């Protein structure tokens, strides 16, 4: 009763998977293309521990491979007014980190008070399907802190007040973005745009169960 664990293995073989290209169109929406052959495979481990009668730990980690068999990139050539086609094989799918994990440490000092420390890690991601380091996002590790007060122990009728401090340590990170490239003067130029996340921020929440 003090230890719980789980293990999941998966393999998903795709035909004509619709994937992000890392480009945006003229109205700012993400472009997607169909990939003839691709797959996602991985393993996930889950663990929950009762460290003390007032302290619990839970977490999971997932290791995965997310690959496409073949992908053709079209790059605008501003020197000729045409496009150059570049074919890649066995590259990582865009926005598909190989490692993701999360963990929560919960302290219940009083019957109606909970303090949770929450940590999340997301590994390196690529902005397109070429697996190029020039068009990638670094991994990030962020921590949150949540304090919860409940009016009683009943789940049916109670009031829960929560204070959430997100990104406690003021980490500068970005989980998303887009990229496109052009050829100018015979050289390829990459234009990467990223969506930075908020630094330390706060949220107050009130939940009523009636």
């Amino acid at each position: 009763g003090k230890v719980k664990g789980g293990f999941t293995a998966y393999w998903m073989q795709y035909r004509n998977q619709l994937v992000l290209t890392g480009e945006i169109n003229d109205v700012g929406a993400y472009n997607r293309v169909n990939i003839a052959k691709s797959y996602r495979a991985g393993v996930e481990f889950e663990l929950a521990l009762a460290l003390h009668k007032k302290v619990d730990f839970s977490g999971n980690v997932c290791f995965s491979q997310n690959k496409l068999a073949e992908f053709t990139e079209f790059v605008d050539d501003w020197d000729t007014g045409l496009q150059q086609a570049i074919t890649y094989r066995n590259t990582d799918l865009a926005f598909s980190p190989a490692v993701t994990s999360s963990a929560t440490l919960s302290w219940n000092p009083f019957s109606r008070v909970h303090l949770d420390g929450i940590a999340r890690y997301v590994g390196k991601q690529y902005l397109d399907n070429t697996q190029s380091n020039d068009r990638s996002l670094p991994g990030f590790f962020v921590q949150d802190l949540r304090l919860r007060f409940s009016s009683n122990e009943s789940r049916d009728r109670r009031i829960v007040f929560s204070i959430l401090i997100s990104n406690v340590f003021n980490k500068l990170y970005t989980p998303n973005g887009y990229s496109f490239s052009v050829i100018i003067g015979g050289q390829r130029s990459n234009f990467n745009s990223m969506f930075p996340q908020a630094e330390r921020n706060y949220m107050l929440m009130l939940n009523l169960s009636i």
Side-chain angles (χ1 to χ4, degrees):
K2 294 185 177 180
V3 181
K4 294 181 181 179
F7 169 77
T8 302
Y10 64 92
W11 177 286
M12 296 181 286
Q13 189 75 37
Y14 291 90
R15 183 177 63 183
N16 293 326
Q17 181 182 184
L18 191 63
V19 302
L20 292 167
T21 65
E23 299 174 297
I24 57 172
N25 61 22
D26 55 356
V27 295
Y30 288 108
N31 285 337
R32 292 173 169 82
V33 298
N34 287 99
I35 301 296
K37 294 180 180 179
S38 58
Y39 72 87
R40 297 181 183 274
V43 293
E44 182 177 11
F45 302 92
E46 299 172 90
L47 180 66
L49 299 173
L51 300 175
H52 185 269
K53 62 181 180 179
K54 294 183 178 292
V55 181
D56 295 316
F57 169 85
S58 62
N60 70 335
V61 59
C62 181
F63 302 97
S64 65
Q65 276 198 340
N66 310 281
K67 295 285 187 177
L68 49 87
E70 186 175 294
F71 171 71
T72 300
E73 177 191 34
F74 294 92
V75 182
D76 289 338
D77 190 331
W78 288 7
D79 299 331
T80 64
L82 303 175
Q83 287 187 316
Q84 290 191 18
I86 307 171
T87 299
Y88 302 84
R89 291 178 174 84
N90 196 38
T91 54
D92 283 356
L93 284 160
F95 306 105
S96 301
V99 182
T100 59
S101 65
S102 65
T104 301
L105 186 65
S106 299
W107 179 38
N108 182 204
F110 308 104
S111 61
R112 300 176 187 177
V113 179
H114 292 80
L115 179 64
D116 303 320
I118 306 164
R120 292 170 287 124
Y121 173 76
V122 176
K124 179 180 180 179
Q125 304 178 70
Y126 294 99
L127 290 168
D128 60 19
N129 297 302
T130 65
Q131 200 173 334
S132 170
N133 290 326
D134 295 332
R135 298 181 292 282
S136 64
L137 298 172
F140 59 87
F141 180 59
V142 292
Q143 299 83 35
D144 303 333
L145 193 63
R146 180 176 60 207
L147 182 62
R148 294 175 291 156
F149 305 89
S150 60
S151 59
N152 55 56
E153 290 298 304
S154 172
R155 292 182 178 273
D156 297 329
R157 295 176 178 272
R158 67 175 179 175
I159 300 172
V160 180
F161 178 74
S162 304
I163 303 171
L164 175 65
I165 306 174
S166 298
N167 197 2
V168 172
F169 297 107
N170 234 24
K171 178 73 174 179
L172 299 178
Y173 71 101
T174 176
N176 209 337
Y178 62 90
S179 176
F180 66 93
S181 302
V182 297
I183 295 173
I184 306 174
Q187 300 292 323
R188 177 171 181 151
S189 297
N190 300 313
F191 298 91
N192 298 332
S193 295
M194 303 179 184
F195 300 115
Q197 296 301 289
E199 297 179 34
R200 187 184 301 115
N201 58 95
Y202 310 86
M203 182 181 296
L204 301 179
M205 293 167 281
L206 182 65
N207 181 275
L208 305 178
S209 299
I210 55 176

